[in-house]
Amino acid sequence: MSSLPRRAKVKVQAVVSKDEFSSLSELSSASEDDKEDSAWEPQKKVPRSRKQPVAKESKPKRVPRVKKTTLQINDGSEGVAVKEELNNSVAIANVDLEDKKNKLDTVKTLKTAKAKRKNSSQSPSGQRIKKLKVVEESNRASTAETPSTSTLWEGVCKKEESEDDFTFGQSPLKKMKTETCPQGQPVRFPANANNIKEEVEMNWDIVQVLSERTNIELWVCANIIRLFNDDNTIPFIIRYRKELINNLDADSLREVRQTLEELRAVAKKVHSTIQKIKKEGKMSECLLKALLNCKTFEELEHVSAPYKTGSKGTKAQRAKQLGLEGAAKTLLENPGELSLLSYIRPNVKGLSALQDIETGVQHILADMIAKDKDTLDFIRKLCQNRYICIQSSLAKVSSKKVNEKDVDKFLLYQNFSCNIRNIQHHQILAINRGENLKILTVKVNISDGVKNEFCRWCIQNRWRPRGFARPELMKILHNSLDDSFKRLIYPLLCREFRAKLTSDAEKESVLMFGRNLRQLLLTSPVPGRTLMGVDPGYKHGCKLAIISPTSQILHTDVVYLHCGQGFREAEKIKRLLLNFNCSTVVIGNGTACRETEAYFADLIMKNYFAPLDVVYCIVSEAGASIYSVSPEANKEMPGLDPNLRSAVSIARRVQDPLAELVKIEPKHIGVGMYQHDVSQTLLKATLDSVVEECVSFVGVDINICSEVLLRHIAGLNANRAKNIIEWREKNGPFINREQLKKVKGLGPKSFQQCAGFIRINQDYIRTFCSGQQTESASQVQEVAVTSSAGVEVTNEKQGKKKNKTAVNVVLKPNPLDQTCIHPESYDIAMRFLSFFRGTLCEIGKPEMEQKINSFLEKDGIEKIAESLQTTVHTLQVIIDGLSQPESFDFRTDFDKPDFKRSIVCLEDLQVGTVLTGKVENATLFGIFVDIGVGRSGLIPIRNVTEAKLSKTKKRRSLGLGPGERVEVQVLNIDIPRSRITLDLIRVL
């Protein structure tokens, strides 16, 4: 699968996703080779660069009393308002796009942006004043009327009833590609659209470099930077701003954000280094230029190493202090006039002999060569086309200090050699681990042919003297080239190669971990069943917990199945199953799992539990023990023994995997590879983002969900989730989404990010709402006009001062609150319904779907979107929200747990046997499959081809992931080592 490209630059097409969750089915499978390096620190797993959070770097200083405006970009027939809130300035540019004769192509736009970037750097203060004036004028204009979503354009803006401060004007940026560029090509931006001014200025453009590293178009990178700078979350961008990011998936967005953080961290460190060197008085124009050209930590380290505090200086610096720099420059510029004998000083160390002077000049020239940008670019390009290999061998001292068992684990890498272009990611991580444990010695081998061609190019081109040089001077130049390559350039190349290999391997490992976690979290729930969870054990017994279809704990107990009391305990288990009408047993895969599974399988085969038809399944109990002693578990199940809490958690993992697994820290779920060898900062950020993505896309019913689940919704955190739960307990259930604005700490931005992912079940609300209206009917004196949000306000008393107690709010449920439609698009949804005379009462019913389909067949989705003045993507979200039934859960399309009644032993297997199993874990070298014999089999990655993957089933990635059911054939059985090799036949 590694041969499949993760993403390629192709022409953008106007793709309409079949449903709102299509982003989950578009995952990439291989890492990009064009990503730049990260710092090479083999002993430290967490590079310092990744400790810089995006929020702190990208948040600008807010301008007092200036209303926050979001990035707004309309299509070609409307005005454009683009927010640039970067660093200390806010710029809003309104461009009239109605005059289509003035359209500019993307190349011209980029050139204009670069030109304006140069001008802006010359007069930042004057521009800032102008920008602020534009902001204030824009805000004055926006207060006159509140635009509905996707209709913010000059002269045609629809006037509505005045609402509160939480109204939204962001959707206009959804019109980017509807009319001007129906095929999804970049539309015309304002003149300074790509002029993204960073907090620290470098000699390179961050949008350009980001595009090169991630292989994403320039205009998409510029949009992504603005969206992240404006504190938008990945789930919100994926669902509601899809046209701005050219339909990228969540993993690609995370990759861009990570690369952006790295570039900003490099820029920040460069400027701190510049300040230090200036303070020491060692700064020169040449050094400043070299520092500002640095794009990676390796380049920065190479340039700044000689100037570090406490450094005794390089050989070149010591030679310069002796006054030999002039001789070195003369050798290159005018060698005929150079006389080294004139530099001899008998009483000065380093100048006492001609040999010393030649050595000093050689060191200066070697340093100049190693720090020259053109020279380094040539050698890097040369290495790309030549054979460069990485080699590992057994360290000489490893046998004395390291355990022999650990040495045997690295048997494959004790005499290993591979081309750096062909080496696999898991091999790099294994080699690095062996090196950190002092078991392996690793080196990068660059052939002599590369060195010879490099020296020849230098002599004939870059470092050729400008006049005739005597043989003794040419010898110094040749020695300088050899010294520069061996002592300075070769170590730099080795660091760069290994840093890039490690960086790519870490990113791919984290990506694989994220894919596996997503697959596990989105396992199809098994609702409506009473379940018995079993946490197996020997001496301390098997812990049992029976939970109701609503996850309530009905009974807990302990049985001792493996201490000679199995027959007596069988009666107890049968009685419990019959009393609670429970026919499904969930067994954790920990200690004594195999014996417990055999025990239940034997009773089931004997029909012991008749008349119940009992089945069982095995689930991962990774993290259950950690969760059972956590404060969250103590709060949720007070007074219950921690061992019994584990059994409850195991049962709930089948009933609703997402709701249960979010309670556990992702890295403890155990579906990764080399998770302790990668950057823990990167791993945590990625996994937390995956959890947020899954919870948000599934959605939560705000009136029944737990606080733990709520805190993972996009735009919310622990404090906001706690405030929502407290508000719910104090004021009763939420009637509509607008009430979220009353929750403490939930500002406009948080509401914008979370509102579309929060559901309000209408059946749950109807009873409560009818009772509330009956109670409040006697108190209502004057009823105001109902707003589009579903709120009626009655004023009992009007005075000069606002009195909170003088306003009675009679809330009405809004059926759109049970859908995935964002409140900012309610106006569009209502206008869309009016086109075919649909009603809110028909949401989620078959007749609604029939009306929509017939209407779409008649006019087409593009034409309808144009008439609604919105984008196809926004209209598709509205169509999905109106068509999907109230209880819709897209997880039902994915795999359920594998329920069994019998068991097979390892000894029963034969080569050629065809079995069905469930994927347990996916790695970069193969897929581990549970085939029910107590030991997982391995499908080598070479046996997982695209042809064997299901064509009809909606897939979340090109590879297999945890929970998927597969049909496999046994290729090899190694009983002494308990290893089973499998071949993939098909995905079930």
Side-chain angles (χ1 to χ4, degrees):
M1 299 301 297
S2 60
S3 62
L4 295 172
R6 187 190 308 177
R7 183 175 64 255
K9 276 189 179 177
V10 294
K11 286 191 175 180
V12 188
Q13 298 179 353
V15 180
V16 180
S17 57
K18 292 184 180 179
D19 54 52
E20 59 182 342
F21 309 104
S22 61
S23 61
L24 292 171
S25 62
E26 300 171 0
L27 282 177
S28 358
S29 64
S31 89
E32 297 283 19
D33 290 330
D34 58 343
K35 295 176 193 165
E36 290 292 336
D37 320 334
S38 65
W40 171 245
E41 297 180 90
Q43 298 298 333
K44 299 179 182 178
K45 306 300 182 302
V46 187
R48 293 181 223 168
S49 62
R50 291 175 179 142
K51 292 182 181 177
Q52 306 292 338
V54 183
K56 291 183 179 178
E57 294 180 10
S58 62
K59 273 191 179 179
K61 295 181 181 178
R62 305 292 183 192
V63 180
R65 301 181 182 274
V66 175
K67 192 172 180 180
K68 188 174 182 180
T69 316
T70 346
L71 169 68
Q72 299 175 341
I73 303 177
N74 292 6
D75 66 5
S77 64
E78 300 163 1
V80 175
V82 178
K83 177 191 172 194
E84 287 190 46
E85 184 179 337
L86 302 166
N87 308 308
N88 301 330
S89 60
V90 180
I92 295 182
N94 289 322
V95 178
D96 186 6
L97 296 184
E98 290 189 352
D99 185 8
K100 295 187 178 181
K101 295 179 182 179
N102 296 330
K103 287 182 183 177
L104 300 175
D105 58 7
T106 310
V107 177
K108 188 173 180 180
T109 305
L110 294 178
K111 288 181 179 179
T112 309
K114 289 182 180 178
K116 294 211 170 187
R117 180 188 178 112
K118 292 180 181 178
N119 297 334
S120 65
S121 63
Q122 296 173 3
S123 56
S125 59
Q127 276 207 355
R128 186 173 305 169
I129 295 170
K130 291 180 181 178
K131 289 176 181 178
L132 294 179
K133 288 181 179 178
V134 174
V135 173
E136 291 169 0
E137 290 174 9
S138 174
N139 288 335
R140 286 194 216 107
S142 64
T143 55
E145 54 187 12
T146 305
S148 62
T149 31
S150 302
T151 56
L152 188 61
W153 36 285
E154 244 180 38
V156 199
C157 188
K158 177 182 176 182
K159 293 187 178 182
E160 299 180 347
E161 296 293 330
S162 60
E163 299 178 359
D164 56 15
D165 292 336
F166 294 87
T167 52
F168 291 91
Q170 293 86 349
S171 317
L173 42 85
K174 298 182 176 182
K175 296 183 186 170
M176 266 185 74
K177 297 182 289 183
T178 45
E179 295 174 341
T180 309
C181 299
Q183 298 304 316
Q185 295 298 332
V187 301
R188 192 186 85 162
F189 287 97
N192 61 345
N194 288 325
N195 183 15
I196 300 228
K197 187 178 179 182
E198 288 294 307
E199 184 179 348
V200 284
E201 291 292 332
M202 301 291 289
N203 284 351
W204 38 266
D205 179 58
I206 193 165
V207 179
Q208 184 74 35
V209 177
L210 191 63
S211 176
E212 292 171 358
R213 291 196 182 185
T214 58
N215 199 29
I216 295 174
E217 291 88 341
L218 279 167
W219 65 274
V220 178
C221 288
N223 283 345
I224 291 173
I225 292 175
R226 290 192 188 90
L227 288 167
F228 282 143
N229 286 350
D230 201 31
D231 298 328
N232 289 289
T233 60
I234 286 179
F236 177 80
I237 296 172
I238 289 291
R239 182 180 288 178
Y240 300 113
R241 299 291 184 264
K242 187 175 287 187
E243 62 287 327
L244 286 182
I245 60 169
N246 194 20
N247 293 305
L248 291 180
D249 58 33
D251 285 328
S252 301
L253 268 185
R254 272 189 284 273
E255 178 189 323
V256 174
R257 184 168 64 181
Q258 179 201 341
T259 308
L260 181 63
E261 289 177 16
E262 290 177 1
L263 289 173
R264 284 175 169 165
V266 169
K268 194 171 183 179
K269 190 169 183 181
V270 164
H271 277 259
S272 65
T273 304
I274 289 173
Q275 295 304 319
K276 288 181 182 177
I277 296 176
K278 280 183 178 179
K279 192 175 180 180
E280 295 170 3
K282 299 178 181 178
M283 181 59 68
S284 64
E285 185 179 346
C286 182
L287 177 60
L288 179 63
K289 183 179 178 181
L291 288 169
L292 291 175
N293 283 332
C294 293
K295 298 177 186 177
T296 65
F297 286 102
E298 288 73 43
E299 292 180 24
L300 176 60
E301 178 68 21
H302 181 67
V303 173
S304 64
Y307 303 94
K308 286 185 177 179
T309 305
S311 172
K312 63 179 182 179
T314 62
K315 293 180 178 179
Q317 282 181 318
R318 294 197 291 272
K320 288 177 182 178
Q321 290 172 1
L322 293 172
L324 295 177
E325 187 174 7
K329 289 182 178 180
T330 305
L331 191 151
L332 296 173
E333 296 172 0
N334 195 0
E337 297 181 359
L338 178 62
S339 174
L340 297 180
L341 294 174
S342 62
Y343 289 89
I344 295 179
R345 303 288 185 273
N347 299 326
V348 179
K349 184 179 179 182
L351 298 177
S352 57
L354 182 62
Q355 180 64 35
D356 295 338
I357 295 173
E358 291 178 350
T359 303
V361 172
Q362 174 185 314
H363 289 158
I364 293 174
L365 289 173
D367 184 70
M368 292 168 62
I369 293 168
K371 290 180 180 176
D372 180 67
K373 184 178 182 298
D374 293 338
T375 304
L376 292 177
D377 288 343
F378 175 81
I379 188 65
R380 288 182 183 121
K381 187 176 181 181
L382 184 63
C383 289
Q384 288 177 2
N385 304 320
R386 296 304 181 91
Y387 179 82
I388 310 295
C389 70
I390 185 170
Q391 299 174 337
S392 65
S393 57
L394 190 65
K396 296 180 181 178
V397 296
S398 61
S399 57
K400 300 178 182 178
K401 299 180 180 179
V402 183
N403 192 339
E404 289 185 7
K405 291 183 179 179
D406 291 334
V407 176
D408 293 340
K409 292 178 183 178
F410 296 93
L411 188 63
L412 290 174
Y413 301 101
Q414 291 179 9
N415 189 19
F416 177 83
S417 178
C418 184
N419 190 333
I420 61 171
R421 286 191 290 273
N422 301 330
I423 193 167
Q424 300 298 312
H425 297 301
H426 66 272
Q427 292 174 326
I428 285 293
L429 295 174
I431 287 172
N432 290 349
R433 179 182 287 184
E435 186 180 34
N436 288 330
L437 294 173
K438 311 291 186 188
I439 295 174
L440 299 177
T441 301
V442 186
K443 69 174 182 177
V444 176
N445 188 11
I446 300 177
S447 64
D448 291 337
V450 174
K451 176 188 172 183
N452 294 336
E453 186 170 345
F454 167 74
C455 292
R456 187 163 54 249
W457 175 84
C458 289
I459 288 293
Q460 295 177 357
N461 297 279
R462 185 72 179 90
W463 299 98
R464 182 177 182 176
R466 296 185 181 179
F468 174 75
R470 299 187 300 275
E472 60 268 21
L473 298 182
M474 290 302 296
K475 182 180 179 182
I476 294 174
L477 186 57
H478 279 286
N479 291 340
S480 300
L481 288 170
D482 290 340
D483 180 48
S484 180
F485 184 87
K486 181 179 179 181
R487 182 168 57 88
L488 301 173
I489 295 177
Y490 173 72
L492 172 66
L493 293 175
C494 291
R495 289 196 302 271
E496 287 184 350
F497 287 140
R498 292 206 59 189
K500 179 170 175 56
L501 290 172
T502 300
S503 174
D504 290 347
E506 283 190 359
K507 289 174 183 176
E508 187 62 26
S509 178
V510 171
L511 183 66
M512 176 68 74
F513 204 132
R515 281 203 297 263
N516 291 345
L517 178 63
R518 181 188 289 105
Q519 192 100 8
L520 197 61
L521 292 176
L522 296 178
T523 302
S524 181
V526 185
R529 290 198 193 190
T530 302
L531 303 176
M532 173 184 281
V534 181
D535 185 6
Y538 289 115
K539 185 177 179 180
H540 299 289
C542 298
K543 279 68 68 178
L544 306 180
I546 298 178
I547 64 170
S548 70
T550 57
S551 294
Q552 301 301 314
I553 302 173
L554 302 177
H555 182 79
T556 57
D557 212 329
V558 180
V559 292
Y560 298 88
L561 307 181
H562 313 301
C563 301
Q565 306 178 32
F567 181 75
R568 186 174 62 188
E569 299 288 18
E571 285 293 330
K572 186 177 183 180
I573 294 172
K574 180 179 180 180
R575 186 170 63 253
L576 289 174
L577 293 176
L578 289 172
N579 288 347
F580 293 100
N581 192 26
C582 175
S583 59
T584 306
V585 179
V586 184
I587 303 172
N589 67 345
T591 306
C593 167
R594 185 67 180 164
E595 292 78 3
T596 306
E597 181 187 9
Y599 177 84
F600 276 97
D602 184 55
L603 294 178
I604 291 171
M605 294 299 291
K606 293 177 181 177
N607 205 22
Y608 183 79
F609 299 114
L612 294 175
D613 181 17
V614 176
V615 295
Y616 72 90
C617 69
I618 308 294
V619 299
S620 170
E621 63 176 41
S625 300
I626 296 173
Y627 166 70
S628 64
V629 295
S630 68
E632 292 290 347
N634 192 39
K635 181 180 178 181
E636 186 181 0
M637 295 175 276
L640 193 64
D641 183 83
N643 293 317
L644 296 174
R645 290 175 187 165
S646 296
V648 174
S649 178
I650 288 170
R652 286 176 174 171
R653 290 184 184 201
V654 171
Q655 197 169 64
D656 191 348
L658 181 62
E660 190 62 26
L661 291 174
V662 294
K663 302 174 184 176
I664 301 163
E665 196 172 351
K667 67 180 182 180
H668 294 146
I669 295 178
V671 287
M673 178 191 72
Y674 292 98
Q675 72 181 70
H676 300 294
D677 294 83
V678 301
S679 163
Q680 296 304 299
T681 306
L682 174 62
L683 180 65
K684 186 178 187 307
T686 301
L687 298 186
D688 289 346
S689 178
V690 169
V691 173
E692 179 185 68
E693 172 196 339
C694 293
V695 175
S696 297
F697 283 164
V698 171
V700 297
D701 186 341
I702 195 169
N703 288 319
I704 61 173
C705 71
S706 66
E707 180 183 329
V708 178
L709 193 63
L710 198 58
R711 68 177 59 153
H712 291 288
I713 288 288
L716 301 182
N717 54 27
N719 288 334
R720 290 169 189 153
K722 182 181 178 182
N723 292 340
I724 289 174
I725 298 299
E726 289 176 353
W727 193 97
R728 188 176 74 188
E729 292 172 352
K730 180 180 178 181
N731 301 284
F734 287 86
I735 307 300
N736 58 35
R737 285 171 171 168
E738 291 295 314
Q739 285 182 289
L740 284 168
K741 300 171 184 177
K742 300 178 181 179
V743 176
K744 180 183 177 183
L746 206 72
K749 194 66 187 181
S750 299
F751 178 80
Q752 180 201 34
Q753 299 299 306
C754 74
F757 307 112
I758 285 176
R759 308 278 190 274
I760 296 180
N761 188 293
Q762 299 300 297
D763 291 335
Y764 182 86
I765 290 301
R766 283 183 190 112
T767 305
F768 174 83
C769 193
S770 60
Q772 184 200 47
Q773 288 177 349
T774 303
E775 292 175 5
S776 61
S778 59
Q779 302 175 6
V780 175
Q781 296 181 3
E782 185 180 353
V783 181
V785 180
T786 305
S787 68
S788 62
V791 181
E792 292 184 0
V793 182
T794 63
N795 297 328
E796 290 181 353
K797 183 179 179 181
Q798 291 183 351
K800 293 182 180 179
K801 294 184 178 179
K802 290 183 180 179
N803 188 354
K804 291 184 180 179
T805 60
V807 179
N808 246 348
V809 179
V810 181
L811 298 166
K812 281 189 176 181
N814 189 341
L816 292 174
D817 289 341
Q818 69 183 352
T819 69
C820 60
I821 303 171
H822 198 281
E824 67 182 12
S825 299
Y826 281 1
D827 177 68
I828 302 173
M830 296 304 296
R831 285 190 283 132
F832 177 65
L833 284 172
S834 67
F835 283 179
F836 54 87
R837 296 180 181 178
T839 63
L840 293 177
C841 300
E842 296 174 332
I843 291 178
K845 296 180 180 178
E847 49 264 34
M848 173 66 78
E849 191 171 0
Q850 292 173 3
K851 287 182 179 180
I852 292 176
N853 290 337
S854 60
F855 183 56
L856 291 177
E857 288 175 6
K858 181 181 177 183
D859 293 338
I861 192 169
E862 291 85 1
K863 188 176 179 181
I864 298 170
E866 184 178 347
S867 62
L868 288 169
Q869 296 166 348
T870 186
T871 65
V872 172
H873 296 290
T874 303
L875 183 56
Q876 187 62 53
V877 171
I878 292 172
I879 291 171
D880 291 338
L882 296 176
S883 305
Q884 290 162 354
E886 188 174 342
S887 58
F888 174 77
D889 187 344
F890 80 104
R891 292 177 295 171
T892 55
D893 294 339
F894 304 130
D895 300 283
K896 289 183 171 63
D898 191 16
F899 294 104
K900 299 184 287 185
R901 292 183 176 84
S902 61
I903 193 171
V904 181
C905 297
L906 178 63
E907 290 74 15
D908 297 336
L909 288 180
Q910 294 182 354
V911 174
T913 304
V914 177
L915 301 164
T916 60
K918 185 179 73 171
V919 176
E920 271 196 341
N921 194 11
T923 67
L924 299 174
F925 54 84
I927 312 296
F928 290 96
V929 180
D930 178 10
I931 53 176
V933 297
R935 171 67 65 176
S936 295
L938 175 67
I939 306 176
I941 197 67
R942 62 179 178 274
N943 294 341
V944 183
T945 61
E946 191 173 7
K948 296 179 181 179
L949 301 179
S950 173
K951 300 292 189 302
T952 57
K953 180 179 174 182
K954 182 172 63 178
R955 303 196 57 77
R956 290 187 288 276
S957 68
L958 293 174
L960 292 169
E964 295 198 72
R965 296 183 66 246
V966 293
E967 187 176 33
V968 296
Q969 184 178 32
V970 179
L971 295 180
N972 184 40
I973 306 168
D974 186 349
I975 294 180
R977 295 200 295 174
S978 298
R979 291 187 177 181
I980 309 166
T981 306
L982 305 172
D983 183 26
L984 176 65
I985 298 177
R986 63 191 177 100
V987 180
L988 301 176

